Amino acid sequence: MNSPETLPQLGRCFHCGEPVPAGADYPVRLDAGRHDACCLGCQAVAQTIVDSGNADYYRLRTDYPATAEAALEELKKLELYDLPEVQQSFVKSEGEVREASLILEGIVCAACVWLNERHLRQLPGVLSAEINFSTRRARVRWDNARIRLSEILRGVQEIGYLAHPFDTSRQEELFRKERNAAIRRLAIAGLGMMQVMMYALPVYLAAPGTMTADIEYLMHYASLLLTTPVILYSASPFFQGAWRDLRLRRLGMDVPVALGMAAAYAASVWAVLTRTGEVYFDSVTMFVFFLLTGRFLEMNARKKSAEAAESLIKLIPAATVRLPDYPGSRAEETVAAARLGPGDFVMVAPGESFPADGRVAEGRSSVDESLLTGESTPLAKQAGSPVIGGSINLASPLVVQVEKVGADTVLSGIVRLLDRALAEKPRLALAADHVAHWFVLAILLISAFVAAAWYLVDPSRAFWITISVLVVTCPCALALATPAALTVSLGRLTRLGLLSTRGHALETLARATDFVFDKTGTLTTGRFRLIASHAVRGEAGEALAVAAALEQGSTHPVAQAFRDSAHGTPRHAEALRYIPGRGVEGVVDGRVYRLGAPDFAAPGASLAADGGATVVALADAEDLVAWFELGDELRPQARPLIEELKALGLRLHLYSGDRPENVAALALSLGIADARGGMLPQDKLDRVRELQARGAIVAMTGDGVNDAPVLAQAQVSVAVDQGAEAAQAAADMVLLSSELQRLADGVHLARRTRTIIRQNLFWSVLYNFVAIPAAALGYVTPWIAGIGMSASSLLVVLNAMRLARFERDGQASQAPRSGLT
């Protein structure tokens, strides 16, 4: 064996020996030399081994690990996945609570997902575990004080699967391996099937007495030799899955399939050896071939349906140009994007994507954020403008100072929320999973009853009819009906610029009867401008400076208007106290001030503004100091949105903390009948509860901190772009761009998704309702049963994929220029 230094390094990971993906730059330093790793996880693990004094592992080993699984086993022995420096790249921490995204190997059907979720949740210390069947990704949360990540990975291995920390390049490599293995099994099954049919046809077509017993035996013996590799190799995943399920005393979809194949093969072998009875080699090989064909097509369709989430992850470039001595020097160096840190300066050329969140330090350009936000219009950027990692620079070079990297970026947050929505199961999916689990047991009992009945009626037909019943049933189609549609729909919705953060959001949005809107920052732009200042005591400029100081830490649009309008040296406010929906109180230059609604700041003062302007009053301990008029603009897409939602049969409501006369004027112009102003957060909450008490399913849209309670109360809620973090945290969906029309798109797509799910469930139930009696009555042969079973699952996935092409009438011209579309 060669030493590691003489092992061929080019193209292979220094740690695990897997191929290094193109563009990957994950160097490992050992003995003043550089070695390439395939992903950030292997780089972190290898460098930790070296830095912790265990470099002899690499110096003394005589070969790479035989497989990636062997490399994983070595990691588990060292328990390096428990080290903070290793977890940094893929684990999010909140105190002792940790959350990680894992890739699962060996998932072949919905029953596998159910088994892994159930097993993980039973581990002490695991708080939650959700797995998305389409992406094969698991989202696991655990208490690190009670269980370690290495124990979770080991727990997955104990039930016959493998788990790896999520890495885009590794996931692509796993998919290629899975696809290549499927092609090999399919090819052998196809060749075996054709050859067996060549030997079976003469036996079927020969007239009675024209074929001697020796020739017939020879045909059967040749069929046995050709069928054996199909059973032992091509069909091995079914037997492995069935054995795993039986070993864990659980019933999965592979159990009846493997039982049917094994019984047919064993009976045929016995018939050949004893020269008595019927042989079913042609049915067995055809069954395996058609079943593998269905799974292969389903695998490719599933991969395509999950492309939206995966494409988001790939937006960050593998490498970027760093300016290490900027602004003193323009010297450049190419580094891996993963090695950037806050404060670094990078050069982003036209056509390239930004490697991290940051702020423009030099240059002017336009940026395409449609891949992330659905915003169809390129946005102008100049010095001081924020940029989002993953968006594309269009016009000219920009120097950007990095502010956030890794899990802290906007893109990572979007992917994390999308993962949560994909992993969480809505009510329909949970019900389908429960039915599918018991469905297998029911099929085994039905098969036993059919076998007994036919043995009494016609023993010669009992065996193959029982095999047909075992094979023809398909619980997977039932279990896939909802998650397949949701995966495609959530991906399409994200490309449109409406991010679903909860699994139930789409299902509930489709059933919504009432839409409740906030006014400021939701139907209006939220970009207030100061129209007029009226000083009651002192100078208007002084009062404006005090107002800006009181609003120094607020994210409300009114606060931004005061800060933009104030001039001179900024004042400092102390002891700030925010009263949601009312205003703010604080101390400026030793005096206590109140700023907000007139009845809060200066009760009893009569203040009126023309033209529907918003009035904000400033008062001290004595009385009113000044009052201000602020104007806001209606969002361009607000009117068509309201008209479309009304056309969809939704009842609309406008609840705002703004002055009642302003709210009434806006509602009148938009045609909203139920409009109420001057509402506190509790008032909005009470009103939504009243609607719900009357049977309404409420969808709430808002943007401010004061909207968070009512967003949480509504059955489904949407936080608009640039809204407060509290609002976005409480919401089930987040509008990523300023294009308000995407809310109507969301309703249309949600209803379309509900229709597709109902079609899938109807087909799954109808198929089994027809197929099981037909097979039990002897009208379905085993090979036809294999086609039916494969086709039922495939049809469900292909039907769900129609959602990826969702386009409303007239939408094509407005669709974002997205490479994901």
Side-chain angles (χ1 to χ4, degrees), residues 341-638:
D344 285 345
F345 288 90
V346 295
M347 172 69 75
V348 182
E352 295 181 353
S353 55
F354 294 93
D357 291 357
R359 198 165 294 274
V360 177
E362 181 184 324
R364 300 173 67 92
S365 184
S366 57
V367 173
D368 182 2
E369 296 182 354
S370 63
L371 295 168
L372 293 167
T373 67
E375 186 76 57
S376 57
T377 306
L379 303 177
K381 301 291 181 180
Q382 57 188 357
S385 300
V387 293
I388 302 174
S391 56
I392 302 172
N393 184 19
L394 296 177
S396 57
L398 291 176
V399 177
V400 175
Q401 184 176 20
V402 174
E403 293 182 344
K404 294 180 180 179
V405 297
D408 297 326
T409 63
V410 171
L411 178 60
S412 294
I414 291 174
V415 172
R416 195 160 49 244
L417 291 173
L418 183 57
D419 278 346
R420 183 176 70 180
L422 289 169
E424 290 180 352
K425 289 184 172 65
R427 177 177 48 84
L428 276 175
L430 291 172
D433 283 352
H434 182 73
V435 171
H437 172 61
W438 290 103
F439 188 79
V440 175
L441 177 60
I443 288 307
L444 293 177
L445 295 175
I446 291 173
S447 299
F449 174 78
V450 169
W454 274 101
Y455 186 79
L456 296 175
V457 175
D458 187 352
S460 64
R461 302 179 64 192
F463 183 76
W464 71 263
I465 289 177
T466 304
I467 298 298
S468 296
V469 173
L470 285 170
V471 169
V472 78
T473 54
C474 189
C476 258
L478 185 64
L480 283 174
T482 299
L486 286 177
T487 298
V488 180
S489 184
L490 290 175
R492 181 60 182 150
L493 203 62
T494 302
R495 292 196 296 272
L496 291 173
L498 187 60
L499 174 66
S500 178
T501 67
R502 297 290 181 183
H504 73 87
L506 264 182
E507 180 188 1
T508 310
L509 185 62
R511 298 186 295 114
T513 59
D514 293 66
F515 238 98
V516 176
F517 289 96
D518 177 44
K519 171 182 171 287
T520 304
T522 303
L523 293 178
T524 63
T525 62
R527 292 190 289 271
F528 278 88
R529 66 189 188 284
L530 184 65
I531 299 175
S533 300
H534 306 278
V536 177
R537 290 186 289 125
E539 297 182 358
E542 176 71 13
L544 187 58
V546 171
L550 291 170
E551 296 283 23
Q552 62 190 7
S554 175
T555 60
H556 196 280
V558 169
Q560 187 63 46
F562 280 119
R563 291 196 294 267
D564 292 343
S565 302
H567 302 289
T569 304
R571 301 289 187 83
H572 179 68
E574 300 175 336
L576 290 171
R577 186 168 67 93
Y578 294 94
I579 297 88
R582 306 285 285 167
V584 61
E585 181 181 271
V587 178
V588 180
D589 296 335
R591 298 178 64 183
V592 177
Y593 288 93
R594 280 188 168 194
L595 178 72
D599 61 347
F600 164 73
S606 178
L607 305 176
D610 297 329
T614 297
V615 174
V616 178
L618 175 68
D620 57 13
E622 299 175 10
D623 201 356
L624 183 67
V625 174
W627 59 285
F628 310 94
E629 295 182 53
L630 293 97
D632 192 8
E633 296 179 356
L634 189 68
R635 286 184 186 250
Q637 294 184 336

Side-chain angles (χ1 to χ4, degrees), residues 288-336:
V288 174
F289 175 75
F290 287 126
L291 206 60
L292 289 175
T293 299
R295 282 202 175 180
F296 179 74
L297 294 174
E298 181 189 330
M299 177 181 66
N300 286 302
R302 188 179 63 245
K303 171 67 175 174
K304 188 173 180 61
S305 72
E307 280 181 353
E310 303 308 316
S311 297
L312 282 176
I313 299 168
K314 298 174 187 175
L315 292 179
I316 296 294
T320 189
V321 175
R322 184 167 61 184
L323 307 177
D325 302 319
Y326 184 87
S329 168
R330 307 287 296 213
E332 300 179 356
E333 64 176 4
T334 301
V335 299

Side-chain angles (χ1 to χ4, degrees), residues 172-379:
E172 287 296 322
E173 183 62 29
L174 288 175
F175 175 74
R176 282 194 293 270
K177 288 171 57 180
E178 180 182 1
R179 188 174 185 274
N180 291 339
I183 290 174
R184 287 194 298 270
R185 290 192 176 94
L186 188 59
I188 290 176
L191 289 172
M193 178 191 70
M194 290 187 291
Q195 294 299 317
V196 169
M197 287 304 298
M198 288 178 60
Y199 290 108
L201 276 176
V203 177
Y204 290 147
L205 298 177
T210 59
M211 181 177 290
T212 64
D214 290 340
I215 295 297
E216 185 175 352
Y217 175 75
L218 181 62
M219 297 290 189
H220 289 166
Y221 192 79
S223 297
L224 168 62
L225 295 178
L226 292 167
T227 304
T228 299
V230 174
I231 287 291
L232 296 182
Y233 177 70
S234 296
S236 59
F238 302 107
F239 292 109
Q240 291 168 358
W243 172 247
R244 179 175 56 231
D245 291 337
L246 293 174
R247 185 166 55 88
L248 295 169
R249 298 180 181 178
R250 297 186 174 102
L251 293 176
M253 189 211 73
D254 287 332
V255 172
V257 172
L259 184 60
M261 285 191 297
Y265 177 73
S268 300
V269 171
W270 177 257
V272 171
L273 296 178
T274 61
R275 298 195 179 192
T276 58
E278 298 290 332
V279 296
Y280 305 94
F281 293 125
D282 53 340
S283 295
V284 170
T285 53
M286 291 177 71
F287 171 49
V288 174
F289 175 75
F290 287 126
L291 206 60
L292 289 175
T293 299
R295 282 202 175 180
F296 179 74
L297 294 174
E298 181 189 330
M299 177 181 66
N300 286 302
R302 188 179 63 245
K303 171 67 175 174
K304 188 173 180 61
S305 72
E307 280 181 353
E310 303 308 316
S311 297
L312 282 176
I313 299 168
K314 298 174 187 175
L315 292 179
I316 296 294
T320 189
V321 175
R322 184 167 61 184
L323 307 177
D325 302 319
Y326 184 87
S329 168
R330 307 287 296 213
E332 300 179 356
E333 64 176 4
T334 301
V335 299
R339 301 188 72 85
L340 292 176
D344 285 345
F345 288 90
V346 295
M347 172 69 75
V348 182
E352 295 181 353
S353 55
F354 294 93
D357 291 357
R359 198 165 294 274
V360 177
E362 181 184 324
R364 300 173 67 92
S365 184
S366 57
V367 173
D368 182 2
E369 296 182 354
S370 63
L371 295 168
L372 293 167
T373 67
E375 186 76 57
S376 57
T377 306
L379 303 177

